[in-house]
Each structure stands twice: as structure tokens, then as C-alpha cells.
Amino acid sequence: MLTKIFTKTALIASVSMMAISPALAKDTTSQTPSQQLTKVQSEKLHEGALMLHGQVTGLTPDGFMLKYNDNQQVAIDMNADGWMNQVNVMKTGQMVTVYGVNEEDIRDRTHVKAGVIYVKDSNTYYFSSNNVPATQSAEKLLGKALEEIPDNAQVTIEAKVTEVEDDSFTVALGKDMIEVSVEDLSQNPLDEKSDHRIKKGDVVFISGEMDRNLFLDDEIDATKVINVDHS
């Protein structure tokens, strides 16, 4: 079925440099991968949640391998429905920041289940559509990522609409709500005459630019909106 896409001409955002965390600079060569991740996560976020800066060294069937801390590597898991529309954006050599949950499989191999991925080359934050946190750790993770998105950074999110106004709508990301402006789109997806009008309760895919307002609430200025429920 034909998917209705609302777009505008996107402006190229300036790439912001993200400093390497001091926690990642510590010598952890004598620790197991699980201990290394636990040490990083305990200093950065909530128990079970962590943030890693590093480079994509290779793609895997479930996601990619991340080199961090100069020579440590860990598997990043994107093997979930929430990444189906975005897994192809990952490329070997990219510098990224991964917000994820530290897990171990049945063979005691440590991996990180990604919730949010920042790609430095494109200055873009990609959010998994599985953005209803099941644990307190995942909730802290999502909140941390939202808090750190700078002004003018690109954002890609799939989420449920909780409120609709004339020229904007609100989506839920865990316990957080964020407004999405459609003022700059060539067609208003909130217009009653739209074939794929966005309504409260719809799931939408959004690409846009973060607008950190000094006196008003922060919002995403949409460059593309897809009504997933009408695709």
C-alpha cells in the first residue's frame, strides 16, 4: 500500500563534536567485558543502562560491533522490531554514541541492547520505536538521551501521538512528551482534508531538527512525517 510522506527541504545541520567521557578513558584491560560495561554504566546512567562512545568496526546480522576505550569491543544489538526502519543507516567506520542496556546471552556473552544511537557523521539521533521502557533503567536511558540532544541536531523517532493541534502534535517517549511542529512541511498532515491525517493514537515516523527554545518548550521541527498506521 502507498505510504504518504510529508517532507520539506532539509537544512544541513552543523556537526557537533561529542567529547569522550572520562569514564571511558580508564584502564579496564584487566576486567571482563561485562565488568567493563558495568563500570561505565554505573558512572553514567542507572543500573543496567549505559552510554558508550566509539567506532563501528563491522556490521553483524543483529546490529554492529563497537570499538570503545581504544581497543575494547562489544556487540550492539539492534535485532528488534523497533529498529527495522533504521538498521540500514549504520556503516563501518562511523563514530557513534550508543545508549543501551547491558545484557548477557545464554553463552554469557555480553552485548548492549540499543535504545538510542547518535551518529556523529550526520549529527543524527536515532530512536528505537520500542520506546515504552519496561524497566527503570530503560526509562533513565531514554530520558538521558533526550536531555543530551543539542539544538539543531537531527532526530529520527517513531512514536505514538498523544495530542494534536493545528500546526503541531505531541508524541510520547516513555514518560516524556515532545512536541513536533509541522509548520515547515509542504503539506500539513494534520489538515482535515489530508488523506492520511494524523490523529491522536496514531503511530508516526518523524525526521526533523531539534529546536531548543529559550523561553518556550523544546520541539522537533519536522522535515518528514509518515503516518505508520496508514502505510
Side-chain angles (χ1 to χ4, degrees):
M1 186 179 294
L2 181 64
T3 299
K4 183 69 173 180
I5 304 177
F6 305 89
T7 64
K8 75 167 187 176
T9 302
L11 298 177
I12 299 176
S14 59
V15 177
S16 62
M17 298 296 290
M18 297 194 69
I20 299 297
S21 165
L24 297 180
K26 294 184 179 181
D27 182 12
T28 57
T29 54
S30 62
Q31 299 174 322
T32 66
S34 181
Q35 288 172 327
Q36 292 165 17
L37 297 183
T38 300
K39 191 171 185 62
V40 172
Q41 136 252 300
S42 66
E43 296 181 13
K44 292 303 298 181
L45 303 176
H46 190 266
E47 182 180 358
L50 56 90
M51 180 174 67
L52 290 173
H53 306 275
Q55 184 174 35
V56 178
T57 58
L59 305 182
T60 68
D62 295 331
F64 60 93
M65 296 299 299
L66 179 72
K67 181 175 74 172
Y68 70 102
N69 232 19
D70 292 334
N71 59 1
Q72 304 298 325
Q73 292 211 46
V74 65
I76 305 300
D77 183 7
M78 299 175 71
N79 186 23
D81 292 341
W83 288 109
M84 284 181 64
N85 295 326
Q86 304 181 70
V87 67
N88 292 332
V89 304
M90 305 311 303
K91 295 181 176 124
T92 300
Q94 287 176 325
M95 299 302 297
V96 301
T97 298
V98 177
Y99 301 78
V101 177
N102 182 27
E103 295 184 345
E104 290 186 353
D105 60 22
I106 58 175
R107 298 180 182 177
D108 294 329
R109 293 178 302 189
T110 299
H111 65 275
V112 174
K113 187 174 183 180
V116 182
I117 298 174
Y118 170 74
V119 178
K120 180 179 171 183
D121 292 348
S122 60
N123 193 31
T124 302
Y125 287 78
Y126 296 94
F127 284 71
S128 165
S129 64
N130 291 331
N131 49 41
V132 181
T135 65
Q136 188 177 6
S137 295
E139 183 70 53
K140 294 281 186 181
L141 177 79
L142 192 57
K144 177 70 173 177
L146 284 170
E147 179 185 306
E148 294 197 339
I149 300 175
D151 190 37
N152 297 327
Q154 299 298 309
V155 181
T156 299
I157 294 173
E158 185 175 314
K160 181 175 287 190
V161 176
T162 60
E163 186 178 348
V164 174
E165 298 182 9
D166 292 338
D167 56 7
S168 67
F169 60 90
T170 303
V171 295
L173 290 172
K175 294 181 180 179
D176 293 292
M177 303 289 173
I178 189 160
E179 186 175 349
V180 180
S181 171
V182 299
E183 287 185 343
D184 295 330
L185 297 181
S186 58
Q187 298 181 52
N188 185 352
L190 306 176
D191 194 310
E192 292 183 359
K193 297 179 181 179
S194 173
D195 292 336
H196 297 79
R197 181 187 177 195
I198 292 173
K199 302 181 293 297
K200 181 178 179 180
D202 285 347
V203 176
V204 293
F205 182 85
I206 308 151
S207 289
E209 187 175 286
M210 177 60 77
D211 185 1
R212 295 289 191 189
N213 293 301
L214 184 60
F215 300 108
L216 302 173
D217 291 337
D218 297 335
E219 66 180 13
I220 296 174
D221 293 330
T223 57
K224 178 189 295 184
V225 176
I226 303 173
N227 193 333
V228 176
D229 283 346
H230 290 257
S231 61

